[in-house]
Amino acid sequence: MQSSDNGSRERGRFITFEGGEGVGKSTQVRHLAARLGAFHISAVQTREPGGTPKAEALRSFILRGSPESWGVGAEAVLFAAARLDHVNELIAPSIAAGKWVICDRFADSTRAYQGLTGGVDERLIDALEVLALNGQRPDLTIILDMEPETSFARIRKRAQAKGEAADRYEREDFEFHRRLRDNFLSVAENEPERCVVLAADTDEEGLAEVIWTIVKARFPELAEAEQAV
């Protein structure tokens, strides 16, 4: 990023990828970060839950299914605790330093999983979001949309290739994932100025090109970066 006229570094951008299991979020995070890097824009790739040592420890605890007996309300609090550390230790400092942050999941996932699907009181979700985000809302959220049957086929193929067991959310039934998909679409409908929904059941490279076109249109400074290369 360029320095502003007063000598201070301009604020970076914050882009999040959301959607159900197996839709290709982490793959598109890598594509976008690489594309930004080609134009000499420093991009931090991160994920939720996770992104910092403390948040990664909570990620492991949550995805093993350890908090299930505590209920979805307690689980939402754990996600918020991980997010608060992630925001304070990585996201906010990176953006302040002029870096772009590209995150695989963020607060919309808590709203979709624990709130809309899990039934956590919306007032609790709202309060946790205010606390954990600490003013750091995404500039753009790309929601990757896919039929659960298609995403499950991807999940099974990925698990077989890596020899890994599915995590607790990947083990949920089709009905859960159909409701989850609807919930992400509801998030996009409620915040159309921030969210863009894209069909994810397409080829990886083609989807990356569509995403890059959307990002360039959203952030005019990218046109300057392209001209400078």
Side-chain angles (χ1 to χ4, degrees):
M1 300 298 289
Q2 299 296 315
S3 296
S4 63
D5 292 339
N6 63 9
S8 63
R9 186 171 291 277
E10 291 181 359
R11 175 186 180 276
R13 298 292 189 173
F14 184 22
I15 301 175
T16 57
F17 282 80
E18 297 282 5
E21 306 296 330
V23 297
K25 297 180 302 301
S26 59
T27 298
Q28 293 304 326
V29 165
R30 292 193 296 271
H31 276 294
L32 180 55
R35 200 67 174 266
L36 290 168
F39 293 101
H40 308 299
I41 295 173
S42 180
V44 176
Q45 300 177 59
T46 189
R47 67 178 183 176
E48 287 216 344
T52 63
K54 291 177 183 177
E56 288 289 339
L58 282 171
R59 176 189 181 90
S60 178
F61 181 71
I62 292 167
L63 295 186
R64 286 199 309 265
S66 303
E68 282 187 275
S69 61
W70 300 0
V72 288
E75 188 172 69
V77 172
L78 288 173
F79 275 111
R83 181 165 299 124
L84 181 61
D85 189 71
H86 190 202
V87 166
N88 289 343
E89 298 299 321
L90 179 67
I91 294 173
S94 296
I95 293 172
K99 298 176 182 179
W100 289 45
V101 176
I102 317 297
C103 192
D104 179 352
R105 296 200 182 283
F106 196 58
D108 293 318
S109 281
T110 298
R111 190 168 293 276
Y113 279 79
Q114 283 73 42
L116 299 175
T117 300
V120 176
D121 192 304
E122 188 173 356
R123 292 170 297 179
L124 176 59
I125 295 293
D126 289 342
L128 291 173
E129 191 169 289
V130 170
L131 171 67
L133 267 60
N134 198 18
Q136 297 293 334
R137 297 194 64 82
D139 297 300
L140 171 66
T141 295
I142 296 170
I143 297 177
L144 300 182
D145 180 50
M146 184 183 291
E147 290 283 353
E149 290 80 0
T150 305
S151 63
F152 262 65
R154 283 190 176 186
I155 290 168
R156 286 193 295 269
K157 184 178 180 180
R158 181 178 64 194
Q160 289 172 357
K162 294 183 177 181
E164 298 175 350
D167 68 35
R168 57 162 300 196
Y169 294 113
E170 293 171 346
R171 292 194 299 267
E172 294 282 359
D173 60 24
F174 277 126
E175 180 56 31
F176 174 91
H177 288 282
R178 290 189 186 100
R179 286 187 288 126
L180 182 65
R181 181 193 185 196
D182 290 342
N183 293 344
F184 277 117
L185 295 177
S186 294
V187 168
E189 185 177 355
N190 290 335
E191 294 194 59
E193 71 288 349
R194 174 174 65 88
C195 300
V196 176
V197 178
L198 296 176
D201 54 348
T202 184
D203 70 284
E204 176 185 323
E205 297 293 338
L207 181 56
E209 286 297 326
V210 171
I211 290 170
W212 180 240
T213 300
I214 290 168
V215 172
K216 283 197 300 180
R218 181 64 62 97
F219 305 113
E221 62 265 39
L222 289 178
E224 297 179 10
E226 281 188 315
Q227 293 173 1
V229 174

